[in-house]
């Protein structure tokens, strides 16, 4: 059974930082592209960041470029999202996603809430 378990969300002031983690089990983690999505109330889910299976390439949404960093540790079956210089508009539920490019198959985590507010 595949599980993706996110952690690290919370309440932070504008300008602050958080580090999200997503621990994967039940799949061969090193074979999967990992992605972070977010969804704010009343908005569509959007792709925030992605990292290839080997960790040799990343890409980011324009809105987080230069502030967020995605990374992975294949030995620990974990992907991370370091979020710096947080803004109120970063407030959302953040979801971890495992993606298999060969057939487009996806797995999703349950999400972790990030709230940026003073």
């Amino acid at each position: 059974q595949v599980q993706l378990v996110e952690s690290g969300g919370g309440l932070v002031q504008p300008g602050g930082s958080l580090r999200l983690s997503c621990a994967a089990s039940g799949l061969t983690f090193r074979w999967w592209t990992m992605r972070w999505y977010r969804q704010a109330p009343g908005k569509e889910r959007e792709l925030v960041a992605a990292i290839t299976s080997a960790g040799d390439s990343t890409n980011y949404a324009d809105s987080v470029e230069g502030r967020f960093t995605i990374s992975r540790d294949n030995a620990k079956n974990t992907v991370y999202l370091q979020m710096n210089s947080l803004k109120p508009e970063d407030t959302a539920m953040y979801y971890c996603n495992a993606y298999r490019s060969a057939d487009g198959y996806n797995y999703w985590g349950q999400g972790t809430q990030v709230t940026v507010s003073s």
Side-chain angles (χ1 to χ4, degrees), residues 19-82:
R19 188 194 196 201
L20 305 184
S21 299
C22 171
S25 60
L27 52 72
T28 306
F29 183 74
R30 66 182 184 278
W31 292 353
W32 293 72
T33 294
M34 297 302 296
R35 305 186 291 195
W36 286 97
Y37 283 77
R38 68 185 180 188
Q39 187 168 20
K43 295 188 176 181
E44 293 187 355
R45 190 172 295 190
E46 64 170 341
L47 177 64
V48 175
I51 187 166
T52 54
S53 56
D56 54 354
S57 181
T58 59
N59 61 73
Y60 299 92
D62 289 345
S63 58
V64 307
E65 182 82 51
R67 299 188 298 122
F68 290 10
T69 303
I70 188 171
S71 62
R72 65 190 295 159
D73 185 338
N74 284 350
K76 296 182 178 180
N77 289 358
T78 302
V79 62
Y80 305 97
L81 186 68
Q82 178 67 43

Side-chain angles (χ1 to χ4, degrees), residues 99-114:
Y99 172 75
R100 189 166 62 195
S101 58
D103 56 9
Y105 203 81
N106 284 274
Y107 291 106
W108 291 93
Q110 293 299 305
T112 185
Q113 178 68 37
V114 172

